[in-house]
Amino acid sequence: MEEKIIVSNNGPLEGTVKIGGAKNSALPIIAASLLGTEPIILEDVPKLNDVSVFLQVLEHLGSKVEYLDERTIKIDSSNLTSYVTPFDLMSKMRASFLVMGPLLARFGITKTSLPGGCAIGMRPVDLHLKGFKALGAEIVSDSTKIEAKTENGLKGTVLYLDFPSVGATQNIMMAASMAEGETVIENPAKEPEIVDLANFLNKLGGDVKGAGTSTIRIKGVEKLGGTTHPIIPDRIEAATYMVGAAMTKGDVMIENCIVSHISPIIAKLREVGCEVFDMEDEDKVRVVGKGKKLIGANIKTLPYPGFPTDVQAQFMALLSICEGQSTVTETVFENRFMHVDELLKMGAIIATEGKEAQIAGVPKLRGAEVKATDLRAGAALILAGLTAEGETKIGETYHIYRGYDDIIGKLRGLGAKIDRIEE
Ligand code: UD1
């Protein structure tokens, strides 16, 4: 038996959708909760498979995890019992590698396996390890395991990231937060999730400055405590519903989003011909596709504040029904066009070469049997199915639940015809 999602065209998406806490902020902050020696309460934690796997990793390491309600979690890491991560859980999710920095800081040693996750590229961890080495850790690794240790504790340093990797920036920030002296990260990632992590570390008693800019300065402290912290809204989830509003020529109010975090999406949706009202003071945007002619555009994924790679697949689904030619250039991951084959099954006209995909817009997609090749690809196929003629059946849906909290309920709330079935 395999679970599938069935979607069909039920007209425009209309109404209001409320965005939840960001997966990509919740995961590093859950990892950073290993640093605190007093209870931590996290609010607006999205209900996702990735979050529950990550919490199991923490429990394995000795943290006490308690759900206060569906999306509020209490974590107590005052008595950690292990610095060795569980292989079976780690292999399920790349982000689990983020426990390495905090464990190195707390124990001076950590043993972990290489991370799993979406197969969207080679996704090495060399920059994470370069950072740990610069902080004075010794790294021993083979093809499956990595051990990092330090005899005399981590020491602050100045380091430059060759690429502004989100995960490497987070792992280094967490390790450096308890190192001796000051660490300076040049060319760090500037994503909003980096800023959320810095704010969280500071609330625990850390000293992190400059997150969100090109230089982050971290003064190490001896001990971090506890706090209550709400996770920032998920900009990728917001963007997904915005693209859905555009594709179905609908009219959707997206509530609980930080408008400045989604400015590239707003700009590109306007470029393809939608009307977008940004109500920054109220943390809302309204996307109107109703009555608009959708015209092709070019997008190029880049580290923040550029166009997010995590919205590339959804936007490609949109461009495939925009009039004229579009180009999508993926510069962040080297293998993130797996959704192209699935969109082709639905009648899209797309040709890829290296980092580029050329799209010739078609008036309508048609329903087909497809599979969610990764998390965001799965979302793109749901959106495509909402506008296609006939029924779309999506397999390998577990990818989708890794990252979208109640996607079926939220889309139904906007009038979509979408169901889960067992086959
Ligand atoms: C995070 C997000 C993911 C998003 C990505 C880019 C989380 C949990 N995941 O992933 O949804 O798609 O940012 O916005 O927040 N790289 C190296 N060496 C390294 C680390 C990364 O070469 O040591 C490369 C990767 O292979 C990739 C690029 O850098 O090509 C971006 O990766 P990175 O920014 O690290 O993404 P993640 O933190 O894995």
Side-chain angles (χ1 to χ4, degrees):
M1 290 282 265
E2 193 202 339
E3 198 212 275
K4 298 208 165 155
I5 292 179
I6 296 209
V7 206
S8 32
N9 185 337
N10 198 32
L13 292 182
E14 279 171 336
T16 298
V17 61
K18 189 165 178 236
I19 301 308
K23 163 177 102 65
N24 287 354
S25 220
L27 299 179
I29 286 177
I30 290 172
S33 299
L34 288 166
L35 290 162
T37 50
E38 286 161 44
I40 288 166
I41 293 175
L42 301 180
E43 298 169 341
D44 300 330
V45 180
K47 231 176 119 184
L48 301 171
N49 291 355
D50 270 13
V51 167
S52 48
V53 170
F54 216 123
L55 291 170
Q56 287 171 50
V57 173
L58 258 70
E59 283 179 322
H60 173 95
L61 299 167
S63 302
K64 295 212 162 50
V65 177
E66 189 188 338
Y67 270 91
L68 302 184
D69 65 42
E70 271 198 326
R71 291 177 179 81
T72 309
I73 303 169
K74 184 173 170 193
I75 300 175
D76 182 348
S77 304
S78 50
N79 286 310
L80 294 182
T81 48
S82 174
Y83 54 79
V84 184
T85 64
F87 172 79
D88 53 330
L89 295 174
M90 297 293 284
S91 59
K92 285 189 186 162
M93 181 177 49
R94 176 174 167 90
S96 57
F97 198 69
L98 293 172
V99 299
M100 208 170 168
L103 290 176
L104 191 55
R106 281 285 299 264
F107 288 101
I109 179 166
T110 169
K111 284 188 192 174
T112 184
S113 45
L114 279 170
C118 286
I120 55 178
M122 280 173 24
R123 305 185 88 175
V125 287
D126 55 318
L127 296 169
H128 301 237
L129 300 180
K130 198 172 155 190
F132 296 148
K133 270 191 205 156
L135 288 166
E138 186 195 330
I139 313 281
V140 185
S141 64
D142 62 26
S143 57
T144 55
K145 290 187 284 346
I146 297 182
E147 179 178 317
K149 65 176 173 200
T150 143
E151 295 294 323
N152 305 309
L154 298 171
K155 305 256 182 317
T157 184
V158 178
L159 59 97
Y160 171 82
L161 288 182
D162 300 320
F163 179 87
S165 152
V166 174
T169 304
Q170 291 165 336
N171 235 337
I172 296 165
M173 275 165 74
M174 293 187 281
S177 65
M178 286 177 66
E180 195 186 314
E182 188 180 63
T183 300
V184 180
I185 313 176
E186 302 283 8
N187 195 34
K190 297 183 188 135
E191 269 68 3
E193 295 76 24
I194 300 287
V195 179
D196 203 21
L197 176 63
N199 289 339
F200 175 72
L201 290 170
N202 287 338
K203 281 161 85 175
L204 294 184
D207 185 349
V208 183
K209 293 198 175 76
T213 75
S214 336
T215 308
I216 301 180
R217 292 175 187 278
I218 306 136
K219 284 204 183 102
V221 296
E222 257 174 43
K223 207 172 157 188
L224 291 161
T227 190
T228 295
H229 185 81
I231 304 294
I232 56 165
D234 196 316
R235 62 197 168 98
I236 309 301
E237 187 192 16
T240 302
Y241 293 108
M242 289 167 76
V243 173
M247 285 183 77
T248 59
K249 301 211 168 184
D251 184 344
V252 177
M253 181 73 84
I254 320 276
E255 281 186 355
N256 192 39
C257 60
I258 300 175
V259 175
S260 61
H261 292 174
I262 45 176
S263 51
I265 314 299
I266 295 176
K268 284 291 162 187
L269 284 177
R270 285 184 177 146
E271 205 178 313
V272 302
C274 292
E275 211 168 346
V276 184
F277 302 91
D278 56 81
M279 291 157 251
E280 192 147 7
D281 297 344
E282 297 169 61
D283 292 339
K284 286 191 214 171
V285 285
R286 179 175 157 211
V287 179
V288 183
K290 194 164 260 177
K292 313 285 179 205
K293 183 167 150 189
L294 300 174
I295 314 145
N298 300 332
I299 63 163
K300 183 176 183 178
T301 66
L302 287 168
Y304 190 85
F307 191 95
T309 173
D310 285 352
V311 189
Q312 184 254 103
Q314 301 90 312
F315 225 85
M316 189 185 285
L318 165 62
L319 295 173
S320 67
I321 53 164
C322 286
E323 200 176 294
Q325 290 284 326
S326 301
T327 305
V328 170
T329 312
E330 171 60 56
T331 76
V332 178
F333 288 106
E334 71 272 19
N335 182 24
R336 206 170 192 177
F337 282 147
M338 288 179 307
H339 43 280
V340 169
D341 280 346
E342 307 306 305
L343 289 170
L344 291 178
K345 290 180 196 161
M346 298 182 71
I349 303 178
I350 306 169
T352 56
E353 200 185 329
K355 293 175 167 186
E356 259 184 33
Q358 301 289 344
I359 302 150
V362 294
K364 227 173 185 9
L365 296 172
R366 54 172 189 270
E369 284 226 15
V370 289
K371 57 176 189 288
T373 49
D374 70 55
L375 162 57
R376 307 301 171 186
L381 294 171
I382 291 182
L383 299 183
L386 287 173
T387 62
E389 224 165 74
E391 195 176 79
T392 298
K393 205 183 265 181
I394 305 167
E396 305 194 9
T397 54
Y398 56 91
H399 282 298
I400 300 171
Y401 305 124
R402 286 190 38 219
Y404 285 95
D405 189 344
D406 191 26
I407 188 163
I408 296 199
K410 286 184 182 183
L411 282 172
R412 277 192 188 151
L414 296 172
K417 207 166 163 200
I418 179 165
D419 254 312
R420 302 163 81 142
I421 54 150
E422 291 285 341
E423 219 181 51

